[in-house]
Amino acid sequence: MGAAVVEVISSIEMHGIRDVTPAGRWEDAFLSGNGEYGIMVHGDPCRERVLFNHHRFVLPNGTHDARPPHLADQIEQVRDLILSGRRAEAGRVLAGGEPLQWTQAFHPGYAMTLDSDADRDVVDYSRATDFTTGEVSVHWGGRVHRRCFVSRADAVVVQHIDGGGEVIIGLTGELPGRPDSVRYQTAAYSIGGSVQLGIRGTYPEGLGAYGFEGLTLVLGDATASGDRVAVRGEALLLTKLARYDEPGWGTADLEAALAALGGFDYAELLARHTAIHRPAYQRVSLDLHVPAADRDLPVGDLLAQQNADRSALRPALLEKLFHSGRYLLLSSSGVLPPRLTGLWLGEWGAAWSGDFTTDANVNLQMAGANIGALPEVTAAYARLIYAQIRDWQTNARAIYGARGILAPSRTDGEHGHLFHYNDDWPWAAWLPGADWLLYPLYEHSLVTGEGLGELAPWLVEAALFFEDFLTRTDEAGHVVFVPSFSAESGPPDETGHPVYAAANATMDIAAARHAFRTAKAVTGSDQWDTLLDRLPPYRVDERGALAEWAWPGYEGDEDHRHISHLYPVWPLHEITPPGTPALAAAAHRALTLRGDENLSAHGSLHRALVAARLRDGELAYENVRKIVGNDMFFRSLMSSHNPDLEIYNADAAHTLPGVLIEMLVDSQPGVVDLLPALPAGLPTGAIHGVLCRGGVTIEELGWDTDVLRVRLRSPVAQDVSVRSPYGEQRVHLPTAEAVSVTFSASPRRDRRAV
């Protein structure tokens, strides 16, 4: 069992992290996951604590069967109220006096404790995560004593321990914030000559689910005693997790599944997993020409150096965050895409229910999935969308009496019905969600060249909703989007307080235009042209900024974290500096006028993505600095929502790789833009494996102050325009052949194109 475990401590350099102290709190625990199960390893040699999570562990709260409000017969009244200026009253009609209901909150499972001789002399301690394998290991005394991973091949948590003495293993549900209504039971027992260690959590009755459990098979010199297991020498621990909607336990099924894996040793199980994980992780890499000594610094030192001087970004940390972000994004994507906390949580009571917040966060986390060559992540995202998209049809019919689809602003992953709203927050009026949420799946087709398949009819459904919804016109003959909500902001009323129910949110116009154009491409029909011609134009205000609402008299909140009105810039490519320079200048003006509110991670990185599209590398870099330079990464390199490590949240960790790719490569079918937003802070480097919209792969892009070189490959023959700060070349790409292009070292143009 243990003979195949290599007991060496190697440098993980670019593709991993190491620390020289155990995690002092759960947020600093090192992470592994397979997109269904997630573990958090503290790494204490004598008092180890490993937290177990499952993507579908959500606390029932009675909303499992919640349904959208039936408002179709009141919508005309709502429209009249908004157009007559009585917007707050319209919001009350939309909500019908209902309180704000939240999704079922994501919650942690339980902790495994591994206790050994507290007086052991521990020297040369370190813990590490290897991004290429997903393995977390704990080292001291010159060798590996514990290692673990979560298998993509076998859907099991695998742990190998060799403490050199007796280790007492237990399970506990006593995690911070545990509700009294959730009851735990633990047990250790022998069955068929093997030792099992189990834990069950029972939910309060009548709220939508029964409970959850974890079961560990302990292989080695093990003895069950009470609810704990004593292990001497080496042991292999295999763990399965499950959640149950109906009363009853599936323990026997877990026992059988674990027994089927009991014939493998650790190395065999790792090899089976690595064969799936490693190729996905290694498709893309970033090299900022960081000295090897800096790359190999403990993660605590990297963070301390950055926090000591927040005025500039340290390339060693930025490079590490790129790779850790890809690792965490991949590891938290499988049966579902990443939640607000990815796949990990160490306490109950997650902020915003730890759900999938769909008006910004989940799409931002997806920013680097397609262009970052992680179709596994996009497939997980597709599972979430397709499992609930028929609920979006129910939303559209109930609220507006319309065909098509209307997406909710949040979901816990169990259904897609829209029920989160109240008098102040008119989420029933958030119209662009379907187009916004389908875009990552559409982008997958642009990147891979694959057909739309299952997506095609749903793209048409998004257009059908707008076709039925747009029943009002203005004096110029343009359709009016009413009710309309620009998440999560609203024009102020006469007292200066924001009122969120409004008309003609810019994001709505962009979503409808994209939906109609896409439906036309899918169906080949000209029926959408009339509606396209009747859409209102975007409004540019007296400051020269793209307005958040194309409606007279509305003013925006310029200190708000959301920038929904810049949807036509990112991700849509509708507004671009080369194609629509005047609107691009207006969008840039809107971006620079927007403040930072609470410096939330998603706000800053959304700004960075838009800045990159607008060819402003310094502004993009500055927004990245707001994240990296404001103490927003734990020692696990998972991120926080706000500066100074406030609120465990995956937005920054998962979005940052996409931001850096967009700064280095932008693309549309037939066009590849190299270094569109390269800041002075990244004077040299290389990136490998980026995928372009249009099916081109950038096998390598290298740049420094003297030369820019790129190697391109396409699965089909095509001609592309390759643009860079040094000029443009028209390049023919033969089928499946690599083509290298070099740009001379003439003085670079100003990258601020707007």
Side-chain angles (χ1 to χ4, degrees), residues 405-425:
I405 47 180
L406 179 69
S409 65
R410 54 189 347 110
T411 173
D412 50 35
E414 296 206 340
H415 65 79
H417 291 116
L418 193 159
F419 63 88
H420 175 79
Y421 58 87
N422 65 5
D423 288 358
D424 292 326
W425 294 100

Side-chain angles (χ1 to χ4, degrees), residues 438-518:
L438 291 178
Y439 182 82
L441 303 179
Y442 181 68
E443 184 185 55
H444 174 77
S445 177
L446 295 177
V447 163
T448 63
E450 297 173 4
L452 294 173
E454 183 180 1
L455 177 62
W458 295 114
L459 293 171
V460 178
E461 288 281 308
L464 288 173
F465 171 78
F466 283 115
E467 182 178 31
D468 286 1
F469 173 87
L470 294 169
T471 62
R472 298 291 183 98
T473 58
D474 63 17
E475 295 178 354
H478 297 121
V479 292
V480 178
F481 293 80
V482 60
S484 180
F485 176 33
S486 184
E488 298 175 11
S489 186
D493 62 12
E494 62 277 2
T495 68
H497 291 93
V499 177
Y500 299 101
N504 276 10
T506 294
M507 186 175 183
D508 293 355
I509 300 169
R513 180 174 287 111
H514 184 255
F516 292 150
R517 287 175 173 172
T518 306

Side-chain angles (χ1 to χ4, degrees), residues 107-338:
H107 68 79
Y110 58 91
M112 175 181 285
T113 58
L114 298 98
D115 297 328
S116 56
D117 185 355
D119 297 325
R120 178 186 296 133
D121 183 21
V122 174
V123 295
D124 297 327
Y125 171 88
S126 69
R127 59 184 175 127
T129 303
D130 185 339
F131 300 157
T132 69
T133 64
E135 187 182 33
V136 178
S137 54
V138 184
H139 316 239
W140 68 85
R143 66 187 183 94
V144 182
H145 286 268
R146 290 196 294 271
R147 56 201 309 166
C148 55
F149 65 95
V150 189
S151 174
R152 279 192 176 269
D154 297 304
V156 65
V157 178
V158 183
Q159 299 169 270
H160 178 272
I161 63 173
D162 180 11
E166 186 175 74
V167 177
I168 306 298
I169 307 173
L171 303 177
T172 178
E174 293 304 317
L175 300 176
R178 179 185 66 83
D180 292 338
S181 58
V182 177
R183 303 182 306 276
Y184 280 90
Q185 292 178 312
T186 59
Y189 57 94
S190 297
I191 180 172
S194 64
V195 174
Q196 311 275 354
L197 184 61
I199 187 167
R200 293 172 174 174
T202 305
Y203 294 129
E205 294 182 5
L207 295 179
Y210 179 67
F212 57 96
E213 73 174 321
L215 186 67
T216 297
L217 171 64
V218 183
L219 299 172
D221 184 0
T223 303
S225 177
D227 62 354
R228 298 184 182 275
V229 173
V231 171
R232 289 157 293 279
E234 292 186 65
L236 181 67
L237 281 57
L238 304 178
T239 301
K240 287 272 192 178
L241 308 170
R243 183 177 186 268
Y244 310 106
D245 289 337
E246 303 298 329
W249 302 99
T251 309
D253 292 336
L254 297 181
E255 289 173 346
L258 290 171
L261 296 172
F264 295 101
D265 67 18
Y266 182 92
E268 290 170 331
L269 290 167
L270 179 62
R272 289 161 62 90
H273 160 73
T274 303
I276 301 172
H277 173 93
R278 178 176 279 144
Y281 170 78
Q282 289 184 332
R283 291 188 194 113
V284 174
S285 65
L286 177 68
D287 181 351
L288 295 179
H289 297 166
V290 174
D294 289 348
R295 281 186 181 140
D296 206 30
L297 284 172
V299 66
D301 291 356
L302 284 171
L303 292 170
Q305 289 177 1
Q306 181 65 69
N307 290 333
D309 179 10
R310 302 186 179 189
S311 62
L313 300 181
R314 300 188 69 85
L317 179 58
L318 198 60
E319 185 184 86
K320 191 77 73 176
L321 289 172
F322 180 89
H323 295 124
S324 69
R326 282 178 48 77
Y327 165 73
L328 295 172
L329 179 63
L330 175 62
S331 299
S332 59
S333 299
V335 299
L336 290 168

Side-chain angles (χ1 to χ4, degrees), residues 57-81:
F57 283 4
V58 292
L59 178 64
N61 65 357
T63 65
H64 181 272
D65 297 320
R67 294 297 180 264
H70 287 272
L71 298 174
D73 59 352
Q74 300 177 66
I75 286 301
E76 294 309 317
Q77 177 191 3
V78 169
R79 288 171 169 150
D80 290 339
L81 288 169

Side-chain angles (χ1 to χ4, degrees), residues 370-371 439 443 446-447 569 571-573 576 612-613 615 661-676 690-698 712 720-721 723:
N370 290 315
I371 56 179
Y439 182 82
E443 184 185 55
L446 295 177
V447 163
V569 180
L572 289 188
H573 272 119
T576 67
R613 286 286 177 88
R615 308 294 190 257
I661 291 174
E662 289 271 1
M663 292 168 69
L664 300 175
V665 180
D666 188 17
S667 61
Q668 298 184 67
V671 178
V672 176
D673 279 297
L674 305 177
L675 309 185
V690 170
L691 300 186
C692 300
R693 302 165 196 91
V696 175
T697 298
I698 295 183
L712 311 168
V720 297
S721 293
R723 304 189 297 211

Side-chain angles (χ1 to χ4, degrees), residues 514-565:
H514 184 255
F516 292 150
R517 287 175 173 172
T518 306
K520 180 177 180 179
V522 169
T523 63
S525 172
D526 294 334
Q527 73 179 88
W528 312 103
D529 290 344
T530 300
L531 283 165
L532 281 165
D533 291 341
R534 295 178 61 207
L535 291 177
Y538 297 130
R539 184 167 71 93
V540 177
D541 67 20
E542 64 281 356
R543 304 167 302 173
L546 182 68
E548 192 159 0
W549 296 272
W551 196 257
Y554 287 179
E555 296 180 1
D557 178 0
E558 297 300 5
D559 193 36
H560 203 277
R561 63 196 177 279
H562 280 265
I563 53 170
S564 298
H565 53 312

